[in-house]
Structure formats: structure tokens, C-alpha cells
Amino acid sequence: MKHGHLTIFFTAIALILSLSSAWAQQPDGTVLLRKGMAYAAGLDSLSVKIAMLQEQTRGDNSQQESLDGLLLMAGKTDMFMSVMQGENGVEITKNADNITIYSLPDKVYEEDPTPMTRSALLKRIPRPPLGMLSEWLSNYLHNSSELLTGVGAVSYVGEVDLEVNGQKRPCHHLRIETAELDTDIWLSRSDNPLLEQVQIDLMKL
């Protein structure tokens, strides 16, 4: 009997140690988020595909609107952003000297010589929901501490295989919670985590 009790005792200790080890190995959400932001800000150029689906529910009625776009950034100043919603859209081009805005379907060009950083330009896009996304991307891609301002928690949800363009990519899933909205992001599981997907929940608004 003594031997049986000892066996149970040591098995329980081994199980506790195993659980403690697994818990200790779980990544820190805030550390991963900061690492991803720092890596993105250090790149010479990057591209971000924008595919937004907004769903509005009122009573039994549900309405969906889709929006597609592309954000290209190069160097410290240059940027091109294209956003389309049906036949309506806008293209914004920025270099060190000026800003050009091309509106569709009117096909109207405007130039804005106002000195403005790329980060500030992204934050000027009207909201919501595109403005919220562009402001979030601006803070993330420029490694701005503003992204973490007012954040209640950065939770590590887990490891998932995210399907991107028909291919599965191993990712870390994080959830960023604030009083205004919750944001889920997926970062590639690598030494240099790339932002793969962003999902913003507007239910709190």
C-alpha cells in the first residue's frame, strides 16, 4: 500500500510540474505585439491587403458591406493607398513633396501640399470603420506607443493555422481589449512576426 501511495504522490507531482511548464511556455501577448510592431517599422517597404466586411444588425435585419483595398509603404515617407467600395473609391499617393488624392467614380485629382507625415495622413481618413482600421495600422506599422494607450489587456488566445490566399500559415492569435473596441490580430509564428490579419469588433460603439 505504501508503494501505491508513493506512486500516486509522485505521479501527481509530475503532472503539476508538467502543467506548470506548459503554462510558463505560453507566449506573452504584449511582448509578441511589441515585437511585431518593431519588426514592421524596421522594414524598408511593405504591402498590406485590406479586405473589410462590415455587418450591421438591427433587430432581425442584417446588412453586410464589403470594402477592398491595398496599402503600400516605402522608406520613411512614401505611401500609396487604394480603397474601393463598389464603384466608389479613393487612391492616395504620398511622397516627400506632396499628397495626391484621386476619387472614383468622379475621376477627380486633388493635390494637398500641406506638410504631413505618413502616420498623420493615415489618421486623417474619415471614420468609421475604415478610419479606425487606418489609424490602427498607422500606429502598428510605425511602432507608435499610441496603439497601447488605453489598452486593458493583450491576451494570448493561442496558436492557429490561418488560411491566407488558399494557404495555411501558422500564427499567434492575440486579442487587444480597450473600453471602445476589441481587436483580434494574427501574427506569423516566426522570429520576425508578420501581421497576417486584423479583425476589429465594433460592438462596443
Side-chain angles (χ1 to χ4, degrees), residues 54-131:
Q54 182 181 12
E55 183 173 354
Q56 296 181 341
T57 303
R58 294 181 180 178
D60 296 332
N61 298 322
S62 180
Q63 183 179 1
Q64 290 186 342
E65 294 182 354
S66 61
L67 183 151
D68 298 299
L70 179 68
L71 172 63
L72 303 174
M73 291 170 41
K76 299 298 182 183
T77 61
D78 294 0
M79 173 189 115
F80 171 79
M81 186 175 189
S82 172
V83 178
M84 293 296 298
Q85 187 171 27
E87 296 182 353
N88 301 313
V90 63
E91 293 181 353
I92 303 172
T93 304
K94 181 192 181 309
N95 55 34
D97 299 320
N98 61 12
I99 300 167
T100 303
I101 302 172
Y102 178 57
S103 302
L104 292 169
D106 301 330
K107 298 182 180 180
V108 175
Y109 277 100
E110 299 177 54
E111 287 197 5
D112 187 348
T114 307
M116 188 182 308
T117 65
R118 182 171 58 197
S119 176
L121 176 60
L122 282 168
K123 293 178 182 179
R124 271 188 58 184
I125 294 174
R127 64 170 73 191
L130 178 60

Side-chain angles (χ1 to χ4, degrees), residues 34-43 46 143 190-195:
R34 291 183 181 276
K35 189 174 182 180
M37 291 169 63
Y39 179 65
L43 294 172
L46 59 84
N143 197 16
S190 63
D191 292 336
N192 297 313
L194 276 171
L195 181 64

Side-chain angles (χ1 to χ4, degrees), residues 6-58:
L6 285 174
T7 303
I8 293 170
F9 176 73
F10 283 122
T11 302
I13 289 292
L15 178 61
I16 292 171
L17 290 175
S18 176
L19 290 173
S20 299
S21 176
W23 179 262
Q25 291 174 4
Q26 179 171 314
D28 185 295
T30 303
V31 171
L32 274 174
L33 177 62
R34 291 183 181 276
K35 189 174 182 180
M37 291 169 63
Y39 179 65
L43 294 172
D44 292 331
S45 62
L46 59 84
S47 63
V48 178
K49 182 181 179 182
I50 301 171
M52 293 184 65
L53 179 64
Q54 182 181 12
E55 183 173 354
Q56 296 181 341
T57 303
R58 294 181 180 178

Side-chain angles (χ1 to χ4, degrees), residues 119-165:
S119 176
L121 176 60
L122 282 168
K123 293 178 182 179
R124 271 188 58 184
I125 294 174
R127 64 170 73 191
L130 178 60
M132 284 186 168
L133 176 63
S134 61
E135 181 176 355
W136 191 93
L137 283 173
S138 176
N139 287 330
Y140 184 94
L141 299 175
H142 293 95
N143 197 16
S144 171
S145 60
E146 291 183 30
L147 189 140
L148 291 170
T149 301
V151 169
V154 179
S155 306
Y156 184 79
V157 180
E159 296 182 357
V160 297
D161 289 328
L162 183 69
E163 188 166 328
V164 180
N165 298 326

